[in-house]
């Protein structure tokens, strides 16, 4: 019996080893995929060490590309891709053959961010996307393919996921990211090549979740899980340090020490704003059906979206290396509680993504958050009652920190009580215009919003200058109502403002301010843009001061 048991154990071990050595191509490669044109495109996967892997393609059938599985059980082969075209077949052979069919070569973009990027063409429940039905019905005529990466958080970098590319059709395109779809459709109509969209977005996610561990470690206040240790030590209470002691704990310890006359130690493990569930261990939580238990460090979760690194690990890491042209990004609403660190955090994220892909400074085009009434959100930032205006400002600062980046301004598409604006076509089109101009070299149109440059003072007037003007400024004949002006007292007054068409400036004044020191435009949570470039792109909210 013992021999039988040992044989069974040995057989199981062999089976597990064989499964681990099973030949596999990375999950990002599937039927219907789009490969980035005219690059050396990596293919990779897993197999038995020493096994030979061969790749052949129908666009160059006389050529084979070979590699060998290394000692760690992984392989990688680089395959040059031709100019846009298809459909093709790609065959990967080792101890078994894998044939990918209906493969196209064109332009591939990674779409990422939070719920305004993940919002599908069909919309969310009771939250529509304007123009969705027309887009869905016309999708069959488009050469657009997409893949939705499963929403999955992980404490350690993952290699696999369960999803595949699809060719857009009325039967499936309702699940495509709306912003990604309109972006792809804009590109496809203007450069006439197949377009592939990799949708790796997660509703409610913050920037920290998309940063890898190296990016997070650049900031002292971003803990990188798993947290098995902490950095702290005991101190003897003194006037120099006791101000940092928990007040309740101090008075409790002092009461005890006075009454029982022994040394007292207080271990302060408290966290502001925490709920009871956060302090319960897994066994306690499992007694209740409505308390989800977070994963261990080797497990994954479909619902944790705000822990540093977890979305990079679960949704970006499995894609790293796949040939892409660039990144489009729509995120920021979940970071209004830490505005000051947002711009450097995005810059760190982008830098590490680019480093991981090894494609140089690939384009990073992002959408500025749209106006929305955040008053119920800013309980953590009472010093900034118009908190999203500061977040839009932080997003403007990203332009200075991130090379080869550009921002689509959405100051005209927001809705006061709906954080998911219905006008997703404008978002996709504006991101598309940035790509068309900056990446594909098409000129002759207004691709970027005019941007605030500087302020000068002439008497009692503030003169506001703008860069990136294609053909001047316009308010479409409406009076400018969203400018404010202040003197040294930092009290802002509603201003009179008009466009000086000869100079391409805005002149701002107020009878209550004789010596202007600062001007703000649309610096509120919710506004409707009133200042545009003549091509129709809105100017972002801005301020000339840094008083807050």
């Amino acid at each position: 019996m013992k021999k039988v048991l040992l044989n069974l154990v040995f057989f199981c071990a062999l089976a597990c080893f064989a499964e681990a050595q099973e030949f596999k191509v990375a999950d990002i490669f599937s039927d219907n995929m789009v490969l980035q044109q005219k690059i050396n495109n990596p293919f990779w996967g897993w197999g038995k060490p020493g096994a030979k892997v061969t790749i052949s393609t129908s666009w160059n059938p006389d050529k084979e590309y070979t590699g060998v599985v290394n000692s760690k059980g992984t392989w990688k082969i680089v395959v040059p891709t031709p100019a846009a075209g298809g459909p093709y077949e790609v065959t990967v052979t080792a101890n078994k053959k894998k044939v990918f069919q209906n493969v196209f070569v064109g332009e591939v973009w990674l779409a990422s961010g939070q719920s305004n990027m993940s919002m599908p063409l069909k919309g969310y429940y009771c939250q529509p996307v304007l123009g969705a039905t027309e887009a869905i019905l016309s999708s069959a005529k488009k050469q657009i393919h997409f893949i939705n990466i499963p929403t999955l958080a992980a404490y350690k970098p993952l290699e696999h996921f369960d999803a595949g590319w699809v060719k857009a059709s009325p039967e499936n395109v309702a699940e495509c990211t709306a912003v990604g779809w309109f972006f792809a459709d804009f590109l496809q109509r203007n450069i006439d090549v197949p377009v592939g969209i990799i949708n790796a977005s997660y509703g409610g996610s913050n920037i920290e979740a998309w940063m890898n561990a190296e990016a997070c470690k650049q900031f002292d206040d971003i803990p990188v899980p798993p947290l098995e240790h902490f950095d702290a030590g005991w101190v003897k209470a003194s006037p120099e340090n006791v101000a940092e002691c928990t007040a309740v704990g101090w008075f409790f310890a002092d009461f005890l020490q006075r009454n029982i006359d022994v040394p007292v130690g207080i271990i302060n493990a408290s966290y502001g704003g925490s709920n009871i569930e956060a302090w319960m261990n897994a066994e306690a939580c499992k007694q209740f059906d409505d308390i989800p238990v977070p994963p261990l460090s080797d497990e994954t979760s479909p619902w944790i979206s705000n822990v540093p690194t977890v979305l990079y690990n679960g949704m970006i890491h499995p894609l790293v290396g796949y040939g892409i042209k660039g990144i489009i990004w729509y995120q920021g609403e979940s970071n209004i509680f830490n505005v000051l660190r947002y711009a450097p955090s995005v810059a760190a994220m982008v830098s590490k993504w680019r480093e991981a892909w090894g494609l140089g400074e690939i384009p990073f085009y992002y959408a500025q958050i749209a106006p929305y009434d955040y008053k119920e959100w800013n309980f953590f930032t009472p010093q900034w009652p118009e908190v999203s205006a500061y977040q839009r400002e932080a997003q403007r600062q990203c332009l200075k920190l991130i090379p080869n980046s550009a921002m689509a301004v959405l100051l005209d598409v927001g809705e006061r009580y709906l954080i998911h604006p219905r006008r997703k076509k404008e978002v996709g089109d504006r991101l598309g215009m940035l790509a068309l101009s900056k990446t594909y070299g098409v000129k002759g149109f207004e691709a970027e919003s005019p941007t605030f440059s500087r302020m000068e003072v002439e008497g009692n007037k503030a003169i506001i200058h703008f860069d990136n003007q294609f053909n001047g400024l316009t308010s479409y004949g409406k009076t400018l109502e969203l400018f404010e002006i202040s003197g040294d007292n930092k009290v802002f007054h509603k201003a009179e403002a008009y466009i000086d068409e000869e100079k391409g400036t805005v002149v701002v004044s107020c009878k209550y301010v004789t010596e202007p020191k600062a001007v703000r435009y649309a610096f509120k949570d919710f506004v409707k843009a009133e200042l545009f470039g003549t091509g129709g792109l809105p100017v972002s909210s801005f301020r000339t001061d840094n008083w807050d």
Side-chain angles (χ1 to χ4, degrees):
M1 179 65 183
K2 184 176 181 181
K3 183 177 180 181
V4 172
L5 181 60
L6 287 173
N7 286 337
L8 180 61
V9 171
F10 180 68
F11 177 78
C12 290
L14 284 177
C16 292
F17 179 77
E19 182 179 0
Q21 304 300 308
E22 184 74 19
F23 176 72
K24 181 175 175 59
V25 184
D27 294 317
I28 188 61
F29 302 98
S30 76
D31 293 342
N32 302 303
M33 64 183 164
V34 178
L35 299 173
Q36 177 59 40
Q37 66 172 329
K38 294 186 284 190
I39 68 166
N40 291 322
N41 202 103
F43 284 73
W44 70 93
W46 300 265
K48 183 179 180 180
K52 181 181 178 181
V53 183
T54 302
I55 299 179
S56 60
T57 68
S58 62
W59 65 73
N60 190 3
D62 297 328
K63 176 71 174 176
E64 288 187 343
Y65 307 88
T66 62
V68 176
V69 180
N70 64 25
S71 60
K72 297 180 180 179
T74 65
W75 59 268
K76 177 180 174 182
I77 299 173
V78 173
V79 178
T81 50
Y88 298 112
E89 285 188 356
V90 176
T91 302
V92 186
T93 306
N95 61 331
K96 64 179 181 179
K97 180 184 293 187
K98 176 67 177 177
V99 180
F100 298 111
Q101 299 178 324
N102 201 40
V103 175
F104 283 77
V105 177
E107 295 297 295
V108 182
W109 287 79
L110 172 62
S112 190
Q114 59 180 107
S115 56
N116 270 307
M117 181 62 84
S118 65
M119 190 175 192
L121 261 179
K122 67 181 181 181
Y124 294 132
Y125 183 70
C126 295
Q127 298 183 44
V129 170
L130 294 182
T133 300
E134 179 183 354
I136 291 170
L137 293 177
S138 65
S139 62
K141 301 176 182 178
K142 313 289 185 179
Q143 284 190 327
I144 299 175
H145 299 220
F146 67 95
I147 180 172
N148 289 331
I149 306 304
T151 52
L152 196 63
Y155 284 136
K156 292 184 178 179
L158 300 185
E159 301 291 350
H160 307 292
F161 58 84
D162 184 15
W165 287 85
V166 295
K167 164 73 170 68
S169 71
E171 290 74 28
N172 61 39
V173 78
E175 301 298 331
C176 182
T177 156
V179 170
W181 173 262
F182 289 121
F183 171 81
D185 186 42
F186 181 91
L187 284 188
Q188 221 253 314
R189 285 186 283 110
N190 283 281
I191 62 176
D192 194 27
V193 300
V195 178
I197 294 294
I198 303 171
N199 173 29
S201 53
Y202 195 125
S205 57
N206 60 20
I207 187 65
E208 294 83 358
W210 296 102
M211 298 163 67
N212 68 10
E214 289 73 23
C216 289
K217 288 174 182 177
Q218 298 178 31
F219 303 91
D220 293 338
D221 62 337
I222 303 181
V224 179
L227 299 177
E228 298 174 351
H229 309 283
F230 60 84
D231 183 16
W234 286 87
V235 293
K236 166 71 170 66
S238 71
E240 290 75 27
N241 61 38
V242 76
E244 301 300 326
C245 181
T246 158
V248 170
W250 171 260
F251 289 120
F252 171 81
D254 184 49
F255 180 89
L256 286 186
Q257 220 253 325
R258 285 187 285 108
N259 284 278
I260 63 176
D261 194 25
V262 298
V264 178
I266 294 294
I267 301 172
N268 175 25
S270 55
Y271 196 113
S274 55
N275 57 23
I276 186 62
E277 292 83 359
W279 298 101
M280 298 163 65
N281 67 13
E283 289 71 25
C285 290
K286 289 175 181 177
Q287 298 178 35
F288 303 90
D289 293 337
D290 60 341
I291 303 181
V293 180
L296 301 174
S297 61
D298 289 327
E299 296 177 342
T300 60
S301 168
W303 60 270
I304 298 176
S305 63
N306 285 308
V307 175
T309 75
V310 295
L311 298 184
Y312 175 85
N313 292 338
M315 299 179 68
I316 300 299
H317 186 266
L319 316 175
V320 169
Y322 192 85
I324 60 175
K325 190 69 171 184
I327 302 163
I328 57 173
W329 177 261
Y330 191 167
Q331 189 274 337
E333 297 91 344
S334 288
N335 281 93
I336 62 170
F337 306 121
N338 195 350
V339 169
L340 295 178
R341 189 173 40 73
Y342 185 73
S345 297
V346 178
M349 180 198 77
V350 174
S351 176
K352 291 302 179 181
W353 284 22
R354 286 171 170 170
E355 182 181 306
W357 251 273
L359 296 173
E361 292 181 348
I362 55 175
F364 180 76
Y365 303 139
Y366 62 98
Q368 189 182 50
I369 63 172
Y372 169 76
D373 191 343
Y374 283 87
K375 286 185 173 56
E376 293 185 0
W377 289 43
N378 68 347
F379 45 86
F380 284 127
T381 52
Q383 73 275 28
W384 295 340
E386 306 292 347
V387 65
S388 67
Y390 292 91
Q391 180 69 327
R392 295 194 298 268
E393 179 180 63
Q395 292 179 304
R396 289 179 58 238
Q397 294 168 353
C398 290
L399 293 171
K400 299 178 181 179
L401 300 178
I402 305 173
N404 198 18
S405 66
M407 181 178 74
V409 178
L410 307 181
L411 205 68
D412 58 335
V413 306
E415 300 181 45
R416 182 183 294 274
Y417 302 117
L418 187 62
I419 201 168
H420 303 124
R422 293 169 286 187
R423 293 165 58 187
K424 290 294 188 285
K425 186 175 188 302
E426 283 91 334
V427 185
D429 284 357
R430 289 173 188 177
L431 290 169
M433 285 189 280
L434 293 173
L436 197 64
S437 172
K438 292 179 168 294
T439 301
Y440 299 107
V442 179
K443 305 301 179 185
F445 68 102
E446 183 178 84
E448 294 182 84
S449 294
T451 56
F452 164 70
S453 172
R454 61 187 175 88
M455 181 185 83
E456 64 175 329
V457 176
E458 295 181 1
N460 67 341
K461 293 181 173 62
I463 314 300
I464 308 300
H465 295 258
F466 298 87
D467 291 333
N468 294 333
Q469 292 191 50
F470 176 74
N471 193 28
L473 303 169
T474 183
S475 65
Y476 293 103
K478 297 180 180 179
T479 302
L480 296 175
E481 302 280 355
L482 296 178
F483 280 88
E484 298 175 294
I485 193 169
S486 173
D488 277 328
N489 61 3
K490 301 183 181 181
V491 176
F492 282 89
H493 300 271
K494 183 178 175 62
E496 296 179 358
Y498 65 90
I499 298 170
D500 185 333
E501 295 180 352
E502 291 185 2
K503 298 180 179 179
T505 60
V506 173
V507 181
V508 185
S509 64
C510 174
K511 63 182 179 180
Y512 302 114
V513 179
T514 57
E515 296 182 10
K517 297 298 180 182
V519 168
R520 294 182 176 185
Y521 164 67
F523 213 72
K524 306 289 183 184
D525 271 344
F526 180 76
V527 290
K528 282 289 187 182
E530 61 181 19
L531 183 64
F532 298 81
T534 52
L537 297 180
V539 175
S540 171
S541 56
F542 65 85
R543 58 175 178 156
T544 67
D545 64 277
N546 60 356
W547 290 341
D548 297 314

